[in-house]
Amino acid sequence: MGKKLFIPGPIDVRKEVLEKMSTPMIGHRGGDASTLQKSISEKLQKLFYTDSTILLSTSSGTGLMEGSIRCSTLKKAAIFSSGAFGDRWYKMAIANNVPADLFKVEDGKAIDIEMVEKVLSTGEYDVITITHNETSTGVRNPIEEIGDIIKKYDDIIYCVDAVSSAGGIKIEVDKIGIDICVTSVQKALGLPPGMSICTFSQRAIERAKQISHRGIYFDLLAMYEYILKKDYQYPSTPSLSHMFALDFQLDEILKEGLDNRFKRHEDMANLVRDWSRKHFEIFTDENHLSNTLTVIKNTKGINVSNLNKKLQERGYQIANGYGDLKEKTFRISHMGDYTLDDINELLDNIEDILGLLNKVY
Ligand SMILES: *Cc1c(COP(=O)(O)O)cnc(C)c1O
């Protein structure tokens, strides 16, 4: 049975988008594939406000994150983490024998700008990684301000994990100065999981050329060179089904209008925040709230798993807290193609199940 998913990915996919996944196959080495992949790239450049090359990967976002840290670190990577997804960059670095140091902030807090300034001023680092939207804590990190610091250096590659924000929150890649911005399609872009995307700047290309062990499948430079030489084609067979759906969905997104789409996400976020403040508390630092997901402190001591079970009987699903934050918090995502009506419907059901209505009859 299909449920309305208010978990931070995968989320509901509209029927028309799902249908595009069943488009008959084409050869991945023909002109049709080139045309499709070029069309997707041009639309994604608009979404990311960038002239950088777009790379598509038949993997979830984690693959491109691993590829980016591996293909950009010559000296050492400075990993700034505000939660589980920030930590993931560090684990990847270590697993790939990439030199890295981890700088962490408390759960629910954003990356501290002064800390970034101090760390980079040591001159030890030539890569920095930031999680734009920390999906475990609901923090939106200040990627613009961090970009301003990085602009003072000419040898630091700026990698951003925008997996749970791209398509829902404006990210002006070129203006901010992001070299590699990674996202997955199953979150705010509203597609089935299985494909990921990154931007790849000229600076990142030049850096990758200096790195000898870039791996094979996630060698970003190899993808870039193949695209150049073979007219937007990829070294290995991509998920063409995702590409048909992505090309269509990007048209829909651009038709909605990027600013309208970002505003809709902000409106949904405000609705969930107001509701959360009324009945519970927001877990996250109020100055750094994400527009695609809200993490709510379980101040009423409700049984989150039970709530979710009851919600699922009614056709909805939310997310428990991530890792150690399980039962202490719960998470409602508001991303993709949902509307205020969908969110209201969910919140009404939660109120009903928890008996929060207190209606006067
Ligand atoms: C979901 C998520 C990931 C993991 O993405 P996959 O597509 O599952 O590999 C990474 N970072 C953030 C911030 C996420 O929300």
Side-chain angles (χ1 to χ4, degrees), residues 210-223:
Q210 296 174 264
I211 290 165
S212 43
H213 292 87
R214 299 184 303 271
I216 296 283
Y217 193 66
F218 295 112
D219 179 354
L220 306 191
L221 185 64
M223 289 185 212

Side-chain angles (χ1 to χ4, degrees), residues 8 60-62 65 85 88 131 133 135 161 163-164 184 186-187:
S60 78
T62 304
M65 286 168 68
F85 289 101
R88 189 176 281 192
T131 313
N133 204 72
T135 316
D161 166 0
V163 172
S164 63
S184 304
Q186 78 276 15
K187 300 205 181 174

